[in-house]
Amino acid sequence: SQLSKFENGQTMLAADKLLIAIEGINMSFSEFGYAMNQYQESSFFKTGNKLVQLQAQKDLSGLKKILTDYDDTESSKVYNRLNKLVIKVAIHGLDSDYVITNEEIEFLTTYLYSIEEWTEYELYIFGNTMTILSDKDLIFLGKAFVKRDKLYCALPSHKKNAEIVHLNLILILIERKKFHHIDFFINNIEQLLTYQDMFSIVFLNFLKNLLAYVKGELTNLTSIKEYISMVEKLGNPTLATFLEIILEQIVI
């Protein structure tokens, strides 16, 4: 009855009472928030998914339109600026002439350095802007991320995002040939993974083989290409294509 009044806007609930009520109907807080948002993702994550699609399609004009149409919906100017920066980095990824200023990079790093406990938002920001960071900031913030997101890794969605950040970080370090630091992140993600995390396991094994080739420990690409072929045969042609693209980019 109380929840019904709350949903209809007839009454308010204190935060502690709200949490007790949600627990009482055997819902998680994230499920309740999803229901309150009319079973839709937040506009922020909808935009993030759209960015991924446009990047995959190499749709530069579509990315620029999202930036032009972006409305400052966040309550904080800091968040609005960070969200726009993610879009700008996506544009920069397709158009290297598109300028990301040093001041914007400094703003980003200052924000990430200042947050002591990283939530999914910080994982999203870091994961989608790490390509513009200097080697020093990338490695330092990467190690900071390992420490600062531990409190939330028990949450499935957070753990999944943390795995993706690890994988992207390892890939960028391979591209930049910063081999000395890669083992740290490989060891850390391996501690997170279980038998249920097949996407991350497949991707990580690919990165390990790629690392061995770049370091000269593998003399040819035969075993890596066979691995990609196996991924496709196991029923994931999309991931196989993605791995092929990464292999081509790194080798070239």
Side-chain angles (χ1 to χ4, degrees):
S1 174
Q2 186 69 14
L3 274 175
S4 178
K5 291 179 181 179
F6 172 70
E7 290 175 337
N8 293 328
Q10 298 173 1
T11 186
M12 293 293 289
L13 285 177
D16 59 338
K17 297 293 193 298
L18 175 61
L19 291 172
I20 292 171
I22 293 171
E23 184 178 339
I25 56 174
N26 292 309
M27 289 182 82
S28 68
F29 189 73
S30 58
E31 287 172 331
F32 184 78
Y34 185 61
M36 289 296 293
N37 200 38
Q38 305 300 315
Y39 303 98
Q40 300 288 324
E41 283 187 304
S42 68
S43 58
F44 171 75
F45 285 110
K46 278 184 181 178
T47 300
N49 291 333
K50 186 65 175 175
L51 292 179
V52 171
Q53 293 174 8
L54 293 173
Q55 283 178 293
Q57 297 164 2
K58 300 187 184 304
D59 188 347
L60 186 58
S61 61
L63 290 172
K64 289 182 176 180
K65 186 175 188 308
I66 288 182
L67 181 60
T68 301
D69 295 344
Y70 182 84
D71 189 17
D72 290 346
T73 55
E74 298 278 3
S75 58
S76 165
K77 290 181 180 179
V78 170
Y79 294 145
N80 280 310
R81 191 174 181 191
L82 288 168
N83 295 350
K84 287 180 180 178
L85 185 55
V86 168
I87 304 171
K88 290 181 179 181
V89 172
I91 295 171
H92 178 75
L94 296 181
D95 178 9
S96 59
D97 292 329
Y98 185 84
V99 176
I100 306 290
T101 67
N102 290 333
E103 191 274 334
E104 287 176 311
I105 296 173
E106 184 178 350
F107 168 76
L108 168 67
T109 55
T110 298
Y111 172 81
L112 290 173
Y113 279 128
S114 70
I115 305 299
E116 294 185 3
E117 295 174 5
W118 284 18
T119 64
E120 283 188 56
Y121 182 75
E122 281 73 40
L123 294 188
Y124 175 83
I125 295 298
F126 179 56
N128 286 281
T129 59
M130 60 174 67
T131 55
I132 65 169
L133 296 176
S134 68
D135 293 342
K136 179 181 177 182
D137 283 330
L138 178 66
I139 293 165
F140 187 93
L141 284 168
K143 291 184 177 180
F145 139 70
V146 168
K147 294 179 181 177
R148 297 179 187 189
D149 92 311
K150 289 191 177 200
L151 289 176
Y152 297 96
C153 260
L155 301 174
S157 62
H158 187 98
K159 177 177 176 291
K160 178 182 176 181
N161 288 327
E163 290 170 9
I164 298 299
V165 170
H166 272 95
L167 295 168
N168 287 338
L169 187 52
I170 293 166
L171 175 58
I172 291 175
L173 290 174
I174 292 174
E175 289 176 337
R176 298 186 184 185
K177 294 183 168 58
K178 298 299 176 182
F179 304 136
H180 178 69
H181 301 276
I182 293 176
D183 283 347
F184 172 84
F185 297 107
I186 289 177
N187 292 336
N188 198 70
I189 189 175
E190 285 179 336
Q191 293 177 32
L192 293 177
L193 297 176
T194 71
Y195 70 94
Q196 296 175 315
D197 302 313
M198 280 307 299
F199 171 83
S200 295
I201 291 170
V202 169
F203 200 163
L204 179 60
N205 285 334
F206 167 79
L207 291 176
K208 286 180 177 179
N209 284 304
L210 184 61
L211 175 61
Y213 176 79
V214 174
K215 292 172 70 175
E217 296 168 1
L218 281 180
T219 56
N220 59 66
L221 297 173
T222 302
S223 61
I224 299 178
K225 290 180 177 179
E226 288 176 350
Y227 185 81
I228 294 173
S229 177
M230 182 179 67
V231 171
E232 184 170 13
K233 289 176 182 177
L234 287 172
N236 200 333
T238 302
L239 178 56
T241 300
F242 181 58
L243 298 181
E244 286 174 351
I245 292 171
I246 292 174
L247 180 61
E248 181 179 356
Q249 289 174 339
I250 295 293
V251 171
I252 291 174

